[in-house]
Amino acid sequence: MNELLQGPMTWTVFLQLFLLSACMLGIVLFFVTYAIYFERKILGWMQFRIGPNRVGPLGLLQSVADIAKLLMKEDTVPKKADRFLFTIAPAIAFIPSFSILATIPYTETLHFANLDAGVLYYVALSGISTIGIVIAGWASNNKYSLLGGMRSAAQMISYEVPLVISVTGVIMLSGSMNLMTVVQQQGDNFWQWNVLPQIIGFAVFVVAGISELNRTPFDLPEAESELVAGYHVEYSGFRFAFFMLAEYVYVFAISALTTLLFLGGWQAPLAFLDFIPGLIWFLLKFAAIVFFLIWLRGTLPRIRVDQLMSMGWKVLLPLSLLNIFVTAVYMELFIK
């Protein structure tokens, strides 16, 4: 795609870019559809239940049926809601989640935009989704939606700070915010991956990332048992589906980003395994992280909002700052 962007913008180039984007959207939608299916199956297995097993062979079409049901539902707008803001809020939440996928490299040759500030691009765009969630809560003219939107903003902003700072150590080691450079710097042996020298940053990044995803045990923005359904309580049909779609696209993004920053990306864990294609290694690491996120959802209870905020500001933020100091000492002593 870089080669296409470097030349003049002709209709042929535009069509190629459009088809590539449509292909990427199709892959993401396929991932979301079957991430939901496998999440329900895995949770059922963990909790001694069957999970989806009726629609299609082995229940494989259950998520497709659920999506079709959402698309056919009536699109309602509360009478006293701010119609314009209520309408665009789902798009504000979703569009940045899809846009950040443009900077994720899957192998040395399979990637879209190779930005020198790829990490910064991810952080900047992912923060925009918070605005969509706040707007959704406020525009609904519902006190429960407003409370859910405010709690969501407080949570996502609070955890964005340690998330960004935890990546600073990786940037210091690689000397770049380019994701391609970060992966290439890690080498093709697992002891060279950033997860070992950056174990503190890795732990902070994972916890803060889960909070950014609004997933258990940090699913307070929804918290159905407390706030009816959180910021999207007044949404129905395809507008509600946009919020769920954004959540799972961020699962895709944060899993891919964790793979690139800390687990060597497409690099093999041992040099003699280089004969296996890099895309296979990337997908294996990516799938392991997605499974870990599902595992946590089936294991941990939701924490209280005061515990959530205390953990972000009193635990993760100091640890992320400590990680910068430890990284500087490590580079001074071991990297000349």
Side-chain angles (χ1 to χ4, degrees):
M1 181 173 279
N2 279 338
E3 290 75 11
L4 294 175
L5 293 172
Q6 288 170 2
M9 180 57 71
T10 63
W11 281 108
T12 303
V13 172
F14 174 80
L15 181 61
Q16 289 177 316
L17 291 172
F18 177 81
L19 291 176
L20 285 171
S21 301
C23 180
M24 187 63 200
L25 179 61
I27 292 172
V28 171
L29 291 177
F30 180 84
F31 166 81
V32 170
T33 301
Y34 284 97
I36 296 171
Y37 168 79
F38 282 108
E39 180 165 18
R40 295 173 68 181
K41 290 295 280 188
I42 291 169
L43 291 176
W45 169 66
M46 289 179 174
Q47 299 166 356
F48 295 100
R49 296 184 289 105
I50 297 175
N53 69 331
R54 295 293 181 183
V55 185
L58 303 175
L60 285 170
L61 298 179
Q62 182 63 60
S63 294
V64 177
D66 291 340
I67 293 170
K69 177 184 70 174
L70 281 173
L71 294 177
M72 289 187 291
K73 278 189 172 182
E74 181 182 1
D75 177 29
T76 60
V77 180
K79 184 177 180 180
K80 295 185 177 181
D82 187 315
R83 179 173 289 270
F84 174 71
L85 293 179
F86 185 89
T87 302
I88 67 169
I92 295 175
F94 168 72
I95 291 174
S97 71
F98 181 69
S99 300
I100 61 178
L101 301 182
T103 60
I104 295 177
Y106 304 96
T107 67
E108 288 185 298
T109 55
L110 182 58
H111 57 85
F112 290 90
N114 184 19
L115 299 182
D116 288 334
V119 177
L120 185 61
Y121 176 86
Y122 174 91
V123 172
L125 262 70
S126 62
I128 298 176
S129 293
T130 307
I131 300 174
I133 290 173
V134 174
I135 290 175
W138 184 83
S140 297
N141 193 35
N142 179 306
K143 61 183 178 182
Y144 297 109
S145 296
L146 181 60
L147 284 171
M150 292 299 102
R151 284 213 312 195
S152 177
Q155 172 181 332
M156 296 178 76
I157 292 172
S158 298
Y159 278 78
E160 219 167 272
V161 175
L163 181 76
V164 174
I165 297 176
S166 67
V167 180
T168 305
V170 173
I171 296 171
M172 291 168 65
L173 289 175
S174 61
S176 173
M177 287 193 289
N178 185 308
L179 290 171
M180 294 280 288
T181 305
V182 170
V183 174
Q184 292 164 355
Q185 172 268 335
Q186 294 180 69
D188 56 358
N189 292 295
F190 71 89
W191 57 83
Q192 296 176 314
W193 295 350
N194 287 330
V195 67
L196 295 179
Q198 288 291 299
I199 188 63
I200 299 175
F202 175 71
V204 172
F205 183 87
V206 169
V207 175
I210 295 170
S211 180
E212 285 287 291
L213 296 174
N214 300 331
R215 291 179 61 85
T216 306
F218 305 110
D219 58 335
L220 294 180
E222 289 88 0
E224 292 90 344
S225 60
E226 302 169 38
L227 296 174
V228 184
Y231 59 88
H232 49 52
V233 65
E234 296 290 355
Y235 283 87
S236 62
F238 74 96
R239 297 190 200 282
F240 175 81
F242 262 96
F243 286 114
M244 296 299 101
L245 180 61
E247 178 180 325
Y248 278 92
V249 173
Y250 274 122
V251 169
F252 182 102
I254 204 73
S255 299
L257 198 63
T258 306
T259 300
L260 296 168
L261 293 176
F262 296 99
L263 301 179
W266 55 85
Q267 308 271 19
L270 295 170
F272 70 88
L273 295 174
D274 280 344
F275 67 92
I276 299 176
L279 182 61
I280 301 298
W281 287 119
F282 181 92
L283 292 176
L284 287 174
K285 298 171 189 177
F286 173 85
I289 296 168
V290 173
F291 175 79
F292 175 72
L293 296 176
I294 297 172
W295 185 12
L296 284 184
R297 181 174 179 179
T299 304
L300 299 178
R302 179 187 301 139
I303 64 175
R304 297 196 316 262
V305 64
D306 62 314
Q307 295 172 329
L308 174 105
M309 299 304 289
S310 295
M311 185 176 184
W313 291 107
K314 296 180 181 179
V315 179
L316 295 186
L317 181 58
L319 282 176
S320 61
L321 294 172
L322 174 64
N323 181 62
I324 296 177
F325 175 76
V326 172
T327 303
V329 173
Y330 171 82
M331 292 178 67
E332 181 66 25
L333 295 178
F334 301 105
I335 300 179
K336 301 295 183 182

